[in-house]
Amino acid sequence: MKITDHYTFHGELTVPGDKSISHRGIMFGSISNGLTEITNFLQGADCLSTISCFRKLGISIENNGSSVLIHGKGLHGLTAPTQILDVGNSGTTTRLISGILAGQSFESTLDGDNSIRKRPMKRIFTPLSQMGARFQCWSSDFFPDRTELSDSGCAPFTIQGGSLDGIHYQSPVASAQVKSAILLAGLYAEGDTSVTEPVLSRNHTELMLAGFGAQITSAGVTASIKPEPVLNGQKIRVPGDISSAAYFIALGLITPHSEILIQNVGVNPTRSGILKTALAMGGAVTLLNERLVSGEPVADILVKSSSLHGTTIQGSLIPTLIDEIPVIAVIAAFAEGTTVIQDAQELKVKESDRIAVVTENLQAMGGSVEPTEDGMIIEGGKALHGAFIHTCQDHRIAMAFTIAGLNASGETILDDETCTAISYPSFYNDILSLTR
Ligand code: S3P
């Protein structure tokens, strides 16, 4: 795809439903009794992978292209899959479903694309094994024949679920996927289960599972769950995804003479670090019409072009904006002065190594950026020029560098923009709707 400098962006848009919340709606609806209806469901490839996996586990799911109806079969209603569960590109599907499968009396095998085959899964194997599940990784060269074992700690792998014991797990990483996997396994365990994180990660599992009837509590960085609740189907309205809104926050801030109203965005404080960061950089970002929808805080976000300065992003802020760091790095390249991003080593194990890939692409555009062990240092304010962008099939890299390209001189070429369908299938149409 070819992108050229565009003068100004104006107008209103709604971004698609939140990816994290859409995944959870399918999973929790599947293990609840009766119907769950999800409206504004994200029809991105990752969430479709979750639907496909639960269908293979015997759940009937109707998807009309916007809302989704799940005929839940209760906590113990899943049936053994006769096929491999294909998780596609989705880390959330892989890790959360593993928590549920750990509590089943059958065996399941999971596999995904080349990116998922490199993502670390020991972080869930360790606690789920302590609870009583067993895991075996397979050499992908001989898959699906499963003739050669592997100790890669990555997909493809088989889970043998069974009777579980509750644990109190001190997680070495602030990861909602790890936390959620353990809490979901805790639904099936003997005794209580709790997870303590170094820093609080997104809490959608805690909020939504409570809505379905789970006995789940949070205190600071610890979440605890009691086993064997009666979960009942719910109606869930998914808010717009702040991780998708982030590209339009960036576009509005860095493009001169622009003003964008992004309606119906989830602004849960465990996700909204980009808003704090934009304000800290001098950005004109205003929350309007704040409200609660299906237990989640929601607002409309008004963004105006701003003269920005650098900031430091670190510590407990990091999990609240982890997926937005590629586009925040782009914003930083347009801000005067230095932006330091630290404590973000998790970026190395996302859909791509986002420290390396952001650095390489920003440098190709003439940006001044240095990678560090746990983040990057960006000297902003240098005019960017178009370049050839290696997306590494990472949706967030493709979208972040589309925003950069729209504000760079000359032509920017993305090697492959189709990966945007992972989380934001209408991304390019939504940009076009704002061009003036
Ligand atoms: C997610 C948690 C985060 C995030 C991912 C979605 C979730 O991953 O990066 O895109 O829905 O729980 P980690 O849990 O690995 O931090």
Side-chain angles (χ1 to χ4, degrees):
M1 165 166 289
K2 212 182 276 178
I3 297 150
T4 47
D5 187 6
H6 189 86
Y7 181 58
T8 165
F9 296 90
H10 272 269
E12 300 177 6
L13 84 157
T14 51
V15 292
D18 187 274
K19 180 156 81 69
S20 293
I21 296 175
S22 296
H23 280 299
R24 285 162 174 77
I26 299 294
M27 297 191 186
F28 304 169
S30 295
I31 56 168
S32 294
N33 301 308
L35 278 185
T36 287
E37 188 186 347
I38 311 177
T39 47
N40 200 35
F41 179 80
L42 172 62
Q43 300 284 339
D46 270 10
C47 298
L48 299 180
S49 294
T50 293
I51 291 186
S52 134
C53 288
F54 278 88
R55 284 182 176 150
K56 288 181 182 161
L57 291 163
I59 303 298
S60 155
I61 301 175
E62 297 169 58
N63 181 3
N64 72 8
S66 147
S67 57
V68 173
L69 208 54
I70 305 153
H71 298 260
K73 288 195 179 167
L75 212 50
H76 298 281
L78 301 180
T79 47
T82 53
Q83 297 165 57
I84 289 161
L85 301 177
D86 182 359
V87 297
N89 187 246
S90 176
T92 309
T93 310
T94 314
R95 298 198 178 107
L96 269 63
I97 206 173
S98 294
I100 294 173
L101 294 173
Q104 311 302 317
S105 56
F106 51 77
E107 190 182 276
S108 319
T109 297
L110 279 68
D111 193 18
D113 67 9
N114 285 334
S115 156
I116 219 74
R117 285 177 169 192
K118 293 194 204 102
R119 308 230 5 226
M121 293 300 153
K122 279 190 182 144
R123 52 179 59 196
I124 54 161
F125 295 169
T126 301
L128 296 177
S129 301
Q130 285 174 18
M131 295 177 83
R134 280 180 291 131
F135 293 87
Q136 177 60 62
C137 299
W138 305 103
S139 161
S140 46
D141 294 339
F142 297 90
F143 200 78
D145 289 343
R146 291 198 247 166
T147 46
E148 198 157 310
L149 305 179
S150 157
D151 59 4
S152 64
C154 298
F157 62 88
T158 295
I159 309 176
Q160 175 60 63
S163 48
L164 303 180
D165 292 315
I167 52 167
H168 300 284
Y169 191 67
Q170 192 82 38
S171 178
V173 279
S175 160
Q177 295 179 359
V178 171
K179 171 173 65 178
S180 303
I182 299 166
L183 293 171
L184 288 166
L187 293 170
Y188 298 92
E190 181 83 37
D192 294 359
T193 294
S194 63
V195 187
T196 300
E197 303 186 89
V199 171
L200 186 65
S201 66
R202 66 190 65 191
N203 65 357
H204 305 301
T205 293
E206 294 91 307
L207 294 179
M208 194 191 287
L209 258 187
F212 275 91
Q215 288 179 277
I216 188 163
T217 50
S218 298
V221 290
T222 301
S224 310
I225 195 160
K226 292 192 177 299
E228 296 298 333
V230 176
L231 301 181
N232 288 313
Q234 298 293 307
K235 279 192 168 41
I236 296 164
R237 175 142 195 89
V238 182
D241 196 328
I242 192 162
S243 299
S244 299
Y247 304 103
F248 293 94
I249 295 173
L251 192 65
L253 289 176
I254 68 175
T255 316
H257 314 294
S258 294
E259 184 170 322
I260 303 173
L261 179 66
I262 317 162
Q263 288 173 320
N264 187 38
V265 184
V267 290
N268 180 319
T270 63
R271 290 286 300 284
S272 58
I274 185 163
L275 301 176
K276 277 192 192 157
T277 300
L279 291 173
M281 297 178 88
V285 171
T286 316
L287 291 196
L288 305 169
N289 194 15
E290 291 181 63
R291 57 218 188 253
L292 263 191
V293 177
S294 294
E296 289 277 351
V298 171
D300 304 329
I301 303 176
L302 180 66
V303 192
K304 296 182 187 175
S305 15
S306 304
S307 110
L308 302 168
H309 52 79
T311 187
T312 296
I313 304 167
Q314 62 180 0
S316 58
L317 193 56
I318 292 294
T320 70
L321 45 65
I322 189 73
D323 292 340
E324 290 68 79
I325 290 179
V327 79
I328 289 173
V330 168
I331 299 174
F334 287 88
E336 285 303 322
T338 310
T339 293
V340 178
I341 300 172
Q342 57 194 44
D343 304 321
Q345 55 278 7
E346 277 294 297
L347 290 175
K348 293 183 180 169
V349 292
K350 294 295 178 189
E351 287 84 329
S352 67
D353 174 347
R354 289 182 178 160
I355 294 180
V357 178
V358 166
T359 301
E360 181 206 325
N361 285 319
L362 259 187
Q363 285 174 346
M365 297 185 82
S368 170
V369 50
E370 288 307 322
T372 62
E373 257 316 293
D374 62 351
M376 55 196 103
I377 301 172
I378 300 154
E379 296 295 338
K382 317 239 176 329
L384 297 191
H385 53 74
F388 185 84
I389 301 297
H390 297 276
T391 62
C392 300
Q393 255 107 63
D394 181 337
H395 54 133
R396 304 221 182 271
I397 298 294
M399 292 188 276
F401 282 90
T402 297
I403 301 303
L406 289 167
N407 278 277
S409 60
E411 258 178 30
T412 295
I413 296 175
L414 300 191
D415 57 0
D416 185 1
E417 75 289 354
T418 55
C419 54
T420 53
I422 291 290
S423 63
Y424 199 160
S426 58
F427 179 63
Y428 290 103
N429 284 341
D430 286 356
I431 291 181
L432 285 175
S433 75
L434 299 172
T435 52
R436 294 287 180 276

